Amino acid sequence: MVISVQTPVSLEEATISGAVGIFAFPSLLGLAQVAIHRPLRLYNALRFPAASVLGGLTVCAAGALSSLAVARTCSLLQALGIESLGPPHRNSVTFTGEDLVLSTAMGCALFRTFGGRFSSVLPSNILKPGAFGYEWIPAKGAQYATTWEKDWIQQLGKRYGCHTCGRRRGVVKFSADHQPPSKLVSNGDPGVQKFYPQCDSCSGLQGGVISNGAWDRSSMAIVAHPYSLRAHHLFLPTPLIILGLKSPVESSSSVLSPLSRVVVAVAKEVGETEEVETRGTQTQQATTLQAEQTSSESPPAAQSVRHDSNSAEFEIRNCPLFIFWKNMVQFLDSFNSPIDCFHITLWVFTLVAACGTI
């Protein structure tokens, strides 16, 4: 799987292809709920870690397909002649399978960074805490909620929506839903029930399922929520970011952002270090010796000026964390993996972002 794209991408191409990814990601998640999860009775309250694993696989699949849609749309726009809107001097860059894996991992990291839970992409079970049940208040057995408990439930409903379907707008009043329902709690044990905000529609559905008697086998108990979108449903055009970073530094350094320059410079530095150590050609050795002689013969004043102008770069390269990261990248790359230094660099940043949001 190789998709060729001309970079840097124009604003029109980025806007159209990015819009395709933004539309595709939540649409695929909703389609998975309706076409796969609900028929198979898979819901968010399954025993750990089944719900998280299934949700994570769903997010990865939706992210991969959305990444392919973004890259393919950009390539098609350029093939149809839209590339005339782009810059006059561009370079051909390929979106490979390694880039797809990296884009999917970045999408999962962003999903978690924006507050998403993998289990929340599965449908809700009307008889269990739903996918949007982020907060709750303790319930005193089968007793109805008090006045202050009802007020607090309204605040939770306005903030998170119905814990089953996620609806926030159009709901006049949220009811305090007992979870688990009082009719399913043995001996009315008051220590196991909690109050969650619930809309009237889901509350009526819950009563009908319980009255039916076959609630454990009824597909009505599984409620999909494909239209309840949150911030973590936003899909950023990570394929375009990867393609922009893969552009040759010499031709695109003037349009790269500061963060892109740091990532590309770090990857380039590690790659150059490995190239010098592995090849060891006479031309590179002569260049290195000439650079060392020039730096040693330069006056102290000039060296001081150079150090002041590149003080930020000097501090980064001598940072203990950077040295440790550089050695780790070189160790991973020593296994002759098909994934080059560029991918390893972004993999490290992505894993750090994902681990920081668990």
Side-chain angles (χ1 to χ4, degrees):
M1 192 278 302
V2 176
I3 302 176
S4 179
V5 177
Q6 300 293 324
T7 58
V9 178
S10 67
L11 178 61
E12 292 81 2
E13 296 165 353
T15 301
I16 297 175
S17 57
V20 170
I22 292 175
F23 174 78
F25 185 68
S27 300
L28 290 171
L29 292 179
L31 180 62
Q33 288 187 32
V34 176
I36 300 177
H37 300 149
R38 191 173 186 273
L40 296 178
R41 294 185 53 81
L42 302 175
Y43 52 90
N44 70 296
L46 292 175
R47 184 171 300 179
F48 181 84
S52 297
V53 172
L54 291 174
L57 293 176
T58 304
V59 172
C60 289
L65 293 176
S66 300
S67 298
L68 284 176
V70 171
R72 180 64 67 182
T73 300
C74 187
S75 178
L76 289 176
L77 289 175
Q78 295 175 354
L80 293 175
I82 308 298
E83 71 273 7
S84 59
L85 300 176
H89 302 288
R90 302 210 284 187
N91 305 279
S92 179
V93 180
T94 57
F95 187 78
T96 62
E98 291 82 1
D99 297 330
L100 178 61
V101 174
L102 177 59
S103 179
T104 303
M106 294 175 66
C108 292
L110 292 173
F111 180 87
R112 294 284 293 132
T113 302
F114 290 152
R117 299 183 301 184
F118 290 141
S119 60
S120 67
V121 302
L122 299 178
S124 301
N125 191 326
I126 200 73
L127 306 177
K128 297 180 181 297
F132 300 90
Y134 293 96
E135 291 187 17
W136 49 269
I137 57 177
K140 299 178 181 179
Q143 299 179 8
Y144 290 104
T146 61
T147 302
W148 76 268
E149 289 174 339
K150 291 180 180 179
D151 294 339
W152 187 248
I153 285 295
Q154 300 307 311
Q155 298 298 324
L156 294 181
K158 293 178 181 179
R159 181 183 305 175
Y160 301 109
C162 171
H163 78 99
T164 303
C165 67
R167 288 179 55 196
R168 287 185 294 193
R169 297 181 179 180
V171 180
V172 179
K173 184 179 180 180
F174 291 94
S175 60
D177 178 36
H178 283 89
Q179 285 297 333
S182 299
K183 292 185 178 181
L184 303 182
V185 177
S186 59
N187 300 325
D189 187 1
V192 299
Q193 289 184 293
K194 304 171 184 177
F195 280 135
Y196 288 89
Q198 191 175 54
C199 65
D200 294 337
S201 176
C202 292
S203 180
L205 178 62
Q206 183 187 76
V209 170
I210 295 177
S211 301
N212 189 27
W215 53 268
D216 56 337
R217 299 184 300 273
S218 175
S219 60
M220 294 176 58
I222 309 300
V223 179
H225 43 85
Y227 304 111
S228 298
L229 303 181
R230 297 295 187 266
H232 53 265
H233 288 99
L234 177 63
F235 181 80
L236 297 181
T238 52
L240 300 182
I241 299 175
I242 294 175
L243 291 172
L245 293 177
K246 289 181 68 175
S247 301
V249 180
E250 292 79 4
S251 60
S252 60
S253 60
S254 58
V255 296
L256 286 176
S257 63
L259 178 59
S260 302
R261 292 180 184 179
V262 170
V263 175
V264 174
V266 168
K268 182 180 178 182
E269 180 183 352
V270 178
E272 288 178 352
T273 304
E274 295 173 354
E275 183 178 3
V276 170
E277 293 178 353
T278 54
R279 294 185 179 181
T281 59
Q282 296 181 355
T283 304
Q284 292 176 341
Q285 292 178 355
T287 304
T288 304
L289 292 176
Q290 183 178 1
E292 293 178 353
Q293 292 177 0
T294 304
S295 60
S296 62
E297 294 175 358
S298 59
Q303 292 181 359
S304 177
V305 173
R306 188 184 300 111
H307 172 72
D308 293 338
S309 62
N310 301 325
S311 57
E313 181 181 2
F314 178 80
E315 293 177 359
I316 293 177
R317 292 183 177 180
N318 289 274
C319 176
L321 182 61
F322 173 79
I323 297 176
F324 170 77
W325 169 84
K326 180 178 177 181
N327 293 333
M328 182 176 64
V329 171
Q330 292 179 354
F331 172 74
L332 294 175
D333 197 54
S334 63
F335 293 100
N336 296 325
S337 172
I339 302 179
D340 56 14
C341 180
F342 170 80
H343 293 97
I344 295 177
T345 301
L346 290 185
W347 264 107
V348 172
F349 292 157
T350 302
L351 292 176
V352 170
C355 293
T357 56
I358 293 178

